[in-house]
Amino acid sequence: MSNSDFGLIGLAVMGQNLVLNVESRGFQVSVFNRTTATTDAFVAAHPDKKLVGTKSLEEFVQSLASPRKIMIMVKAGGPVDAVIESLIPLIDQGDIIIDGGNSLYTDTERRDKWLGDLGFRFIGAGVSGGEEGARKGPAIMPGGPASTWDVMKPIFESIAAKAEGEPCVTHIGPGGAGHYVKMIHNGIEYGDMQLICEAYNIFKAAGFSAAELATVFTDWNNGDLESYLIQITAEIFKQTDPETGNPIVDMVLDTAGQKGTGKWTIMNAVENAVVCSTINAAVEARILSSMKEKRVAASTELQGPETTLSADKAELVKKVHDALYASKIISYAQGLDLITTMSAEKDWNLDLGKIAAIWRGGCIIRARFLNDITAAYRTNPELSNLMLAPFFKDLLNGFQQNWREVVSMATLAGIPVPAFSASLGYYDSYRSAVLPANLLQSQRDFFGAHTYERTDKPRGEFFHTDWPEVIG
Ligand code: NBP
């Protein structure tokens, strides 16, 4: 039987759910997994579906209609190369391989060239939405040749989430652009999660119960902060641990894991001289959280302030709302700035309006305010920084006072707010016509004769001072 419309390799959580999604749109799907017992169990569990289970890659490839459309959904890194190497002798010129995992975009660029040189077609597609998104409609960020995207478009558009009637998938750009944008999506996700955790930590210090927290987050989800992450946070606060009867969140150990996309985002930001301080704070907060034993030991050695947090609860909710929303705008402004910079660097010609639009549904960072981000970039595709779009500028100007009060209040009470304060630091630096870098440049000239420009001379003219010698 060689008539399946689509084939998928890698039947773990994401693969299985994507297969069921594709099948539910009327396509016949062939499946293969390295451990064939998984394939057997999966196909047996869905006897009424148009699935073709295969036990070898040869059988899998033979079961697909031409040109073959093969999606790889295995662990990122070496396994993707291993699967591609095994496929190469079996497939024909013009067949399409799609890597749907969280691959590093530079790996995708390498594979794009490798497969392109051999006459095959390759798409590196970021898929976001976790298990539920994969099953019901993820956001998909495909990169590769536009002509290959045209072939894949009907399937991708049918399986993607829909937002405001538009599918949450678009051709992002050539080569590794799709996986690159997925990486930034994940970096932004890190920022969003950390900002929510800092809001929670302030409320906890102010004596909010889990039930009160559930109410706050439910209310926020009914307002301008509406988003998947705020929604699931409200649900988390409602859950009780069956063993102890305590809120489940109080029973979860405060050490966070990470798989690497946040770190990759930060490394790329530094390489491109773009500030992503909110995401950086989020990555570092996870690192610090993982040092549980060291933190416990230091907690009895290093002193904090005497002050504790006392505030009117309703007033605090309003102030933290403003601090969270303002910091979130900064985080997106930084992530989108990085995309803009890389787009120019790589000549990708990325459309930020389209990218923001596909993040409105299916993915983990889906949020009401992505409608406003989409509108901002559709109105002005050349926007230099999201903070300066009229809608967001007005919000920031309105939020900034409460934002400062929250950062000060938390700092005085010894509650760590690294992402709130990093965001505020970026905001204040960006809006400063004058920064103290005049002193910094003087220091550089002092010890290294690095020269400086003068305030009273045209830019581009460089000066040096003969500084006094310092002994000792
Ligand atoms: P995993 O990332 O846990 O990978 C498991 C799959 O990879 C299994 O099918 C396994 O086969 C296969 N595999 C491995 Br491991 N090494 C292999 C090899 N050398 N050759 C062939 N197959 C190999 O699965 P996942 O969580 O479904 O994620 C798949 C991709 O999607 C990853 O890149 C992930 O980062 C990305 N992603 C995941 C999520 C999520 O929420 N989980 C969300 C978005 C994106 P086996 O059964 O024989 O061991």
Side-chain angles (χ1 to χ4, degrees):
M1 192 165 43
S2 61
N3 55 1
S4 287
D5 308 292
F6 189 78
L8 188 137
I9 299 172
L11 291 172
V13 180
M14 292 298 282
Q16 289 199 11
N17 284 287
L18 272 174
V19 166
L20 294 175
N21 184 352
V22 176
E23 194 277 344
S24 73
R25 313 292 161 170
F27 301 103
Q28 178 174 302
V29 186
S30 290
V31 292
F32 175 80
N33 194 67
R34 178 181 62 174
T35 308
T36 53
T38 307
T39 313
D40 294 341
F42 176 63
V43 174
H46 302 283
D48 53 333
K49 309 274 190 216
K50 296 182 296 298
L51 301 178
V52 179
T54 63
K55 289 194 186 306
S56 68
L57 269 184
E58 289 79 358
E59 190 191 346
F60 170 78
V61 166
Q62 290 308 316
S63 73
L64 296 168
S66 183
R68 300 182 178 93
K69 302 169 192 73
I70 300 172
M71 187 156 190
I72 302 173
M73 213 60 205
V74 302
K75 198 174 155 83
V80 177
D81 288 321
V83 171
I84 292 174
E85 269 166 22
S86 310
L87 278 172
I88 284 173
L90 305 175
I91 58 176
D92 294 316
Q93 300 277 298
D95 284 351
I96 299 171
I97 295 180
I98 306 129
D99 171 20
N102 271 340
S103 294
L104 182 59
Y105 78 95
T106 45
D107 282 342
T108 302
E109 306 234 287
R110 173 178 55 77
R111 290 170 189 141
D112 179 61
K113 174 151 181 18
W114 173 28
L115 289 166
D117 287 350
L118 293 172
F120 305 119
R121 295 188 277 182
F122 183 63
I123 293 269
V127 178
S128 176
E131 181 177 0
E132 195 188 346
R135 177 68 185 88
K136 295 182 184 160
I140 311 175
M141 291 148 255
S147 55
T148 310
W149 156 249
D150 288 340
V151 182
M152 292 312 306
K153 191 174 168 182
I155 295 182
F156 276 168
E157 286 196 342
S158 71
I159 64 169
K162 309 288 176 296
E164 311 285 321
E166 298 171 31
C168 294
V169 58
T170 189
H171 179 231
I172 299 287
H179 274 136
Y180 181 79
V181 167
K182 173 62 169 35
M183 176 184 85
I184 304 298
H185 163 285
N186 283 27
I188 289 174
E189 178 184 312
Y190 272 59
D192 275 350
M193 293 170 78
Q194 175 63 21
L195 291 170
I196 290 173
C197 290
E198 291 180 14
Y200 157 64
N201 212 17
I202 293 170
F203 290 141
K204 204 166 72 162
F208 282 61
S209 66
E212 285 174 310
L213 287 165
T215 304
V216 170
F217 279 83
T218 303
D219 289 348
W220 281 358
N221 197 46
N222 291 326
D224 52 11
L225 282 176
E226 180 192 338
S227 62
Y228 173 71
L229 286 167
I230 293 281
Q231 183 188 8
I232 66 165
T233 302
E235 291 305 316
I236 288 168
F237 291 131
K238 291 180 197 162
Q239 289 288 319
T240 304
D241 173 37
E243 258 183 60
T244 60
N246 294 331
I248 187 82
V249 70
D250 292 341
M251 305 310 296
V252 176
L253 193 71
D254 56 332
T255 60
Q258 51 185 321
K259 281 192 173 171
T261 41
K263 185 182 81 179
W264 293 347
T265 304
I266 292 307
M267 288 166 66
N268 180 256
V270 173
E271 274 168 17
N272 284 285
V274 173
V275 176
C276 280
S277 52
T278 315
I279 300 171
N280 187 47
V283 172
E284 290 182 348
R286 289 197 193 193
I287 295 169
L288 277 157
S289 82
S290 70
M291 299 162 32
K292 177 76 175 171
E293 288 72 22
K294 287 185 181 169
R295 288 189 289 114
V296 170
S299 68
T300 55
E301 301 287 331
L302 302 175
Q303 284 182 1
E306 297 297 327
T307 326
T308 52
L309 196 71
S310 70
D312 173 83
K313 283 187 174 174
E315 213 174 283
L316 188 66
V317 169
K318 165 71 181 124
K319 286 183 177 170
V320 174
H321 163 279
D322 291 1
L324 176 57
Y325 198 164
S327 303
K328 191 173 158 86
I329 294 169
I330 300 303
S331 183
Y332 282 67
Q334 294 176 345
L336 293 168
D337 187 20
L338 184 52
I339 293 179
T340 306
T341 303
M342 266 295 276
S343 175
E345 170 72 23
K346 304 279 291 182
D347 224 358
W348 277 340
N349 203 17
L350 303 184
D351 181 332
L352 271 80
K354 278 188 180 173
I355 291 168
I358 65 165
W359 286 348
R360 291 177 302 174
C363 62
I364 303 296
I365 66 169
R366 62 185 182 261
R368 185 195 285 189
F369 97 140
L370 277 159
N371 283 314
D372 304 305
I373 298 183
T374 304
Y377 280 100
R378 283 184 178 165
T379 306
N380 179 9
E382 306 303 322
L383 190 60
S384 68
N385 188 299
L386 184 69
M387 294 187 295
L388 298 174
F391 177 82
F392 290 106
K393 184 177 68 181
D394 289 349
L395 283 181
L396 288 167
N397 287 338
F399 290 151
Q400 55 104 17
Q401 188 55 39
N402 281 343
W403 189 10
R404 293 178 197 290
E405 285 181 31
V406 168
V407 171
S408 325
M409 205 188 303
T411 306
L412 287 172
I415 303 163
V417 282
F420 277 2
S421 51
S423 309
L424 183 57
Y426 177 81
Y427 174 80
D428 278 337
S429 296
Y430 202 99
R431 63 173 197 85
S432 290
V434 177
L435 285 170
N438 49 333
L439 175 57
L440 198 140
Q441 197 60 14
S442 304
Q443 293 164 335
R444 295 185 72 233
D445 191 54
F446 196 119
F447 63 69
H450 292 294
T451 73
Y452 53 85
E453 293 169 278
R454 288 181 58 99
T455 54
D456 56 354
K457 295 280 186 326
R459 295 294 309 265
E461 281 185 39
F462 292 89
F463 301 86
H464 169 63
T465 293
D466 285 326
W467 304 96
E469 206 171 312
V470 178
I471 314 289

